[in-house]
Amino acid sequence: MKKKRRIRFNLYFGLAAILMVVMALIVIIANLISQAFRVELSMYPMIFLSAATLLIAVLVAVFIAKWLFDPIAELGRALDQVAQGDYTVRVSTRSRFREVRSIYKNFNLMAKELEATEILQTDFVSNVSHEFKTPINAIEGYATLLQDSNQTKEDAQGYAARILFNTQRLSELVGNILLLSRLDNQAIQNRRTAFRLDEQIRKAIILLEPKWSKKDIEFDVEMEELTYLGDESLLLHVWSNLIDNAVKFDPVGGLVRIRLSGTADGAVFTVEDSGPGVPEEAQKHIFDQFYQTDSSHKMEGNGLGLALVKKIVTISGGTVSVENLPVHGCRFTVTLPGEEA
C-alpha cells in the first residue's frame, strides 16, 4: 500500500512539475513579447495566470493519474499474484483506452492458459506416478515370491512371465512418455519421405500378431496401393496404436475391419472393431493422456496410445475421430492431407 501511494505521489508530482515548466515557459515567452514590442505587462495578470496554470496542472495530473495509473496499478497487483503462483486471478476494466482493454484481455488469456497448463502438469505427474507404481509393485511382489525356494518350477515360470510382462509395460510407458514429451517440445523434426502407406499398415498388423492370434481375431482388410509423403516412423505409431486398440476391445473370435483409400484431399484410413463401443461422454476425452474408458483393460495399456495418435496426426496436418457403429463396435477414422508422392 505504501509503495502504491509513493508511486501515485511520484506520478502526481511528475505531471504537476511538467505543467509548471510549461507555465514558466509561458511567463518567459510573455516577457520576451513585452520586451520585443515594448509593451509593459502588469504583474497582477501574470500572478493570476501563474496561479491558474498551477491549479490546472494539479487537476490535469489527478485526472490523468486516475485514468492511467489505476488500471496499471490493478494489473500490477494481478501480476504479483501470478508471480506467486495464483493463476486463477482475472482482471476487468472500464477504461475507454483500447490499448488498456487489449492488455487486460491478453492478461486474462495468459492467466487462463497458465492455469490450464498447471492443472495438466499436476494431473500428468500424478498419473505418471500411478502408472509407474503399479508395474513396479507387481515386479516387486513376483520377485519376492521367486525367492521362496519351495516354489514349483511351473509357478516360478509364471512369476517370471509376469515380471517380464510388467517390465515391458514399464518400457512401453517410458517410451510413450518420452515420445509425447519430444512431440510437445517440437524436438522431433518432421522427416518426410515417400513410402507405401498400405505396406506400412500391413507391417503394423504383423507386428501385433501375438495379440490378435491369442484372441483368434480375424481381419477384413481392403487397402489401395498408396505411396505417401510423410514421416514414416511417426505414422507407424498411429496404425500400431489404433489396430492394437481395436484388438484389445474386440471379443474373442471377433473381426477387425481396416480400410485405406486415396482421395483428392489425401488419404483416409479407418479401423473398426466389434467391441462394446465408446460411451458418448468418453468420446470427448478418449484422446486425452492417461484416459481409459474401460478399467477391465487397464492392465493392457497406459492411456497414452490414443494421445500419441492425436498428437502425431495433428502434427501431420490431419484429423482423427471416433464414432460408434450402428449395431456394436466403433470406428476410428484418420484423414491425412494431400501429400501423396
Side-chain angles (χ1 to χ4, degrees):
M1 183 61 70
K2 291 182 179 180
K3 181 179 179 181
K4 176 183 174 182
R5 289 177 179 174
R6 185 170 63 254
I7 295 174
R8 186 187 294 271
F9 174 78
N10 291 338
L11 181 61
Y12 289 166
F13 180 79
L15 290 172
I18 292 173
L19 291 175
M20 289 180 68
V21 170
V22 173
M23 177 191 71
L25 290 175
I26 292 175
V27 173
I28 293 171
I29 292 172
N31 287 328
L32 291 175
I33 291 174
S34 66
Q35 293 176 7
F37 294 95
R38 297 182 179 180
V39 177
E40 185 176 352
L41 297 177
S42 174
M43 289 299 296
Y44 293 106
M46 295 298 295
I47 293 173
F48 175 78
L49 177 62
S50 300
T53 305
L54 179 60
L55 178 62
I56 293 173
V58 172
L59 293 176
V60 170
V62 172
F63 179 75
I64 294 178
K66 184 69 177 177
W67 271 49
L68 293 180
F69 178 78
D70 285 355
I72 294 173
E74 182 179 356
L75 184 61
R77 290 192 295 271
L79 286 170
D80 287 339
Q81 290 180 257
V82 170
Q84 294 171 10
D86 181 9
Y87 304 127
T88 62
V89 60
R90 301 291 185 271
V91 292
S92 60
T93 181
R94 296 181 180 179
S95 175
R96 296 181 181 179
F97 292 105
R98 183 177 59 184
E99 291 78 8
V100 173
R101 295 198 303 271
S102 177
I103 292 173
Y104 271 47
K105 179 181 177 182
N106 290 334
F107 172 85
N108 288 334
L109 180 61
M110 177 197 71
K112 182 180 179 181
E113 291 296 327
L114 287 173
E115 183 183 15
T117 301
E118 183 187 37
I119 293 173
L120 181 61
Q121 188 177 38
T122 302
D123 290 344
F124 182 80
V125 171
S126 175
N127 286 323
V128 166
S129 301
H130 175 74
E131 292 295 335
F132 270 101
K133 185 177 179 180
T134 302
I136 288 175
N137 286 342
I139 293 171
E140 181 182 9
Y142 289 119
T144 302
L145 290 173
L146 279 175
Q147 290 179 331
D148 187 354
S149 58
N150 296 324
Q151 296 292 339
T152 64
K153 183 178 179 180
E154 291 75 12
D155 288 340
Q157 289 178 342
Y159 297 151
R162 300 306 297 175
I163 291 174
L164 180 61
F165 171 77
N166 282 282
T167 54
Q168 290 172 342
R169 283 190 64 199
L170 275 176
S171 177
E172 181 182 357
L173 175 61
V174 171
N176 285 341
I177 290 175
L178 290 175
L179 181 55
L180 268 175
S181 177
R182 292 168 65 194
L183 290 171
D184 286 335
N185 292 285
Q186 298 181 342
I188 293 181
Q189 296 181 353
N190 195 359
R191 304 181 185 89
R192 297 181 179 182
T193 57
F195 63 97
R196 282 278 298 275
L197 199 58
D198 55 312
E199 289 297 332
Q200 186 183 56
I201 295 172
R202 289 189 180 91
K203 177 182 178 181
I205 297 173
I206 294 172
L207 289 173
L208 293 168
E209 190 272 339
K211 293 186 176 182
W212 52 260
S213 62
K214 184 178 180 180
K215 296 180 68 174
D216 196 25
I217 290 175
E218 295 184 359
F219 281 82
D220 177 8
V221 180
E222 292 183 13
M223 295 190 292
E224 297 180 11
E225 291 188 5
L226 187 60
T227 301
Y228 190 76
L229 183 64
D231 194 313
E232 186 173 2
S233 61
L234 285 182
L235 286 174
L236 181 59
H237 286 282
V238 173
W239 322 128
S240 298
N241 279 295
L242 289 178
I243 297 171
D244 182 40
N245 191 72
V247 170
K248 180 168 64 175
F249 288 96
D250 220 39
V252 175
L255 178 68
V256 173
R257 296 180 179 86
I258 294 176
R259 300 289 185 271
L260 175 68
S261 60
T263 66
D265 298 326
V268 177
F269 167 86
T270 62
V271 55
E272 302 175 3
D273 61 55
S274 305
V278 182
E280 184 175 352
E281 183 62 28
Q283 292 182 21
K284 302 176 184 178
H285 305 284
I286 197 168
F287 296 106
D288 294 347
Q289 295 178 13
F290 294 106
Y291 184 83
Q292 297 191 48
T293 60
D294 187 354
S295 59
S296 65
H297 291 84
K298 188 172 180 61
M299 290 297 293
E300 300 176 34
N302 48 51
L304 289 177
L306 293 180
L308 271 173
V309 168
K310 176 72 173 179
K311 179 68 69 174
I312 293 170
V313 171
T314 301
I315 289 175
S316 301
T319 61
V320 57
S321 60
V322 60
E323 60 182 329
N324 286 328
L325 299 175
V327 180
H328 52 74
C330 70
R331 175 193 298 122
F332 283 86
T333 303
V334 175
T335 60
L336 294 174
E339 298 186 22
E340 296 175 63

